[in-house]
Amino acid sequence: MNLSQVKLVVTDMDGTVLNAKGEVSNRFFNQFEELKKRNIHFVAASGRRYQSIVHKLEAIKNDISIIAENGGLIQHNNLTSILFKLSSKDILKSIEVLRDVKGCYIILCGRKAAYVETKNSDFVSKFSEYYSAFKIVDDLTKVTDDDFLKIAVYHFESSESKVLPYISKIANELQVTVSSKNWLDISHKDANKGYALNMLQKELGIEKKDTMVFGDYNNDLQMLELAHFSYAMQNAHPNVKKIANFETKSNSEQGVELILDELINSKIL
């Protein structure tokens, strides 16, 4: 395997480059400097909000590209653009359906802030790890003064078994993705990480054969298809392992960093 041809590295965040505590390792930040020296561009791609990704990667934020909200928003060359927004009709229909799903918590994700209509302390505690700027409101359907990129849904047991089977009315019209064990995301039907990554590849003039991607869950599937060096984490969903060309160790074992060391060593300065 010839890693020396890689010009673009893309990683998911949660379950991938973030460890079990939600942290980026010092090892990674040191590796990033070596990637820069070798003219390898880095992209962070996540279902998280843009601000949440920047918070995790503050030290390198001006030198990377960011795909946030599962492809709803992209930042490149320090310019941030919204690619896809949900219409008010889509939002109203989705919230109406989700309110009938037992045990699910709804987050309306806007560019300015995230909005919830529950005061459940256990959920708010969990939710605030991902959404630092949020507002608790009486009725999500009454929130209008924002650009809405996604609806995130949380279930304490399982988003795949406890939410997905009950929202077919939404899934037929919008992009519905199980993004982790507990999270499910609803976006514009054309929004996904792969769409945004393809835009970056074209702008940078980088092909699939020169691209390396790491992922762990179903919201990573489209972008994994755009890389020859596509890696599933050991802790990845079976769908990810099926589509990826390679596998690395889990996020708790620094699986991303392990491969980045190999990449750096393949390009001796």
Side-chain angles (χ1 to χ4, degrees):
M1 181 167 55
N2 183 15
L3 296 178
S4 64
Q5 68 195 60
V6 172
K7 301 175 183 176
L8 181 66
V9 172
V10 188
T11 70
D12 171 52
M13 297 291 287
D14 295 276
T16 306
V17 77
L18 297 182
N19 63 23
K21 295 180 179 179
E23 301 166 336
V24 181
S25 70
N26 289 331
R27 180 182 176 188
F28 169 79
F29 285 113
N30 291 332
Q31 289 174 326
F32 175 76
E33 295 305 320
E34 295 301 319
L35 294 177
K36 273 179 62 179
K37 291 176 184 176
R38 289 159 175 78
N39 296 315
I40 299 172
H41 190 64
F42 178 77
V43 182
S46 178
R48 285 177 176 256
R49 297 184 73 231
Y50 171 77
Q51 292 88 343
S52 178
I53 300 171
V54 168
H55 176 70
K56 298 293 184 182
L57 299 169
E58 182 73 31
I60 62 174
K61 66 179 182 180
N62 294 325
D63 296 316
I64 67 175
S65 298
I66 293 174
I67 295 170
E69 304 282 16
N70 285 328
L73 182 148
I74 189 170
Q75 175 263 319
H76 180 63
N77 285 338
N78 294 312
L79 297 175
T80 305
S81 304
I82 293 176
L83 300 184
F84 295 103
K85 294 189 290 186
L86 286 171
S87 69
S88 56
K89 178 182 176 182
D90 290 335
I91 292 169
L92 290 173
K93 180 174 182 178
S94 297
I95 291 173
E96 180 181 285
V97 171
L98 289 166
R99 280 175 172 167
D100 289 333
V101 180
K102 185 179 179 180
C104 82
Y105 294 87
I106 310 166
I107 305 99
L108 182 58
C109 304
R111 184 168 186 179
K112 297 177 184 176
Y115 307 86
V116 293
E117 58 184 11
T118 179
K119 296 179 182 178
N120 179 292
S121 58
D122 290 337
F123 171 67
V124 172
S125 176
K126 174 68 68 175
F127 157 79
S128 59
E129 152 65 15
Y130 303 92
Y131 299 88
S132 56
F134 68 91
K135 298 179 181 179
I136 298 175
V137 299
D138 293 328
D139 185 350
L140 289 175
T141 66
K142 304 298 184 184
V143 182
T144 57
D145 186 25
D146 208 337
D147 293 317
F148 300 107
L149 309 177
K150 183 183 75 174
I151 296 173
V153 183
Y154 186 87
H155 197 286
F156 278 99
E157 293 180 46
S158 168
S159 63
E160 191 162 16
S161 63
K162 300 293 186 179
V163 181
L164 184 61
Y166 305 101
I167 58 172
S168 58
K169 289 181 182 179
I170 304 172
N172 291 335
E173 300 174 16
L174 298 169
Q175 182 87 236
V176 175
T177 308
V178 176
S179 55
S180 75
K181 177 185 175 182
N182 304 103
W183 290 98
L184 178 147
D185 296 324
I186 300 167
S187 311
H188 185 281
K189 61 184 176 64
D190 296 323
N192 63 72
K193 294 182 186 180
Y195 181 95
L197 176 56
N198 186 241
M199 287 181 60
L200 282 176
Q201 285 175 314
K202 289 178 178 178
E203 183 164 342
L204 293 166
I206 295 175
E207 299 178 29
K208 177 177 180 177
K209 66 181 179 64
D210 307 318
T211 303
M212 176 180 283
V213 172
F214 298 90
D216 77 311
Y217 238 86
N218 292 337
N219 58 335
D220 300 320
L221 294 174
Q222 292 94 337
M223 71 173 185
L224 285 163
E225 291 182 322
L226 297 177
H228 171 67
F229 299 99
S230 56
Y231 285 86
M233 308 302 291
Q234 191 176 68
N235 51 288
H237 189 285
N239 291 344
V240 174
K241 292 186 177 183
K242 183 177 180 180
I243 201 171
N245 292 329
F246 307 98
E247 186 172 324
T248 187
K249 290 185 178 181
S250 72
N251 62 318
S252 296
E253 299 175 286
Q254 298 193 345
V256 170
E257 290 92 329
L258 178 69
I259 303 303
L260 291 184
D261 269 345
E262 293 182 14
L263 171 57
I264 290 164
N265 290 334
S266 74
K267 295 196 173 199
I268 304 298
L269 293 175

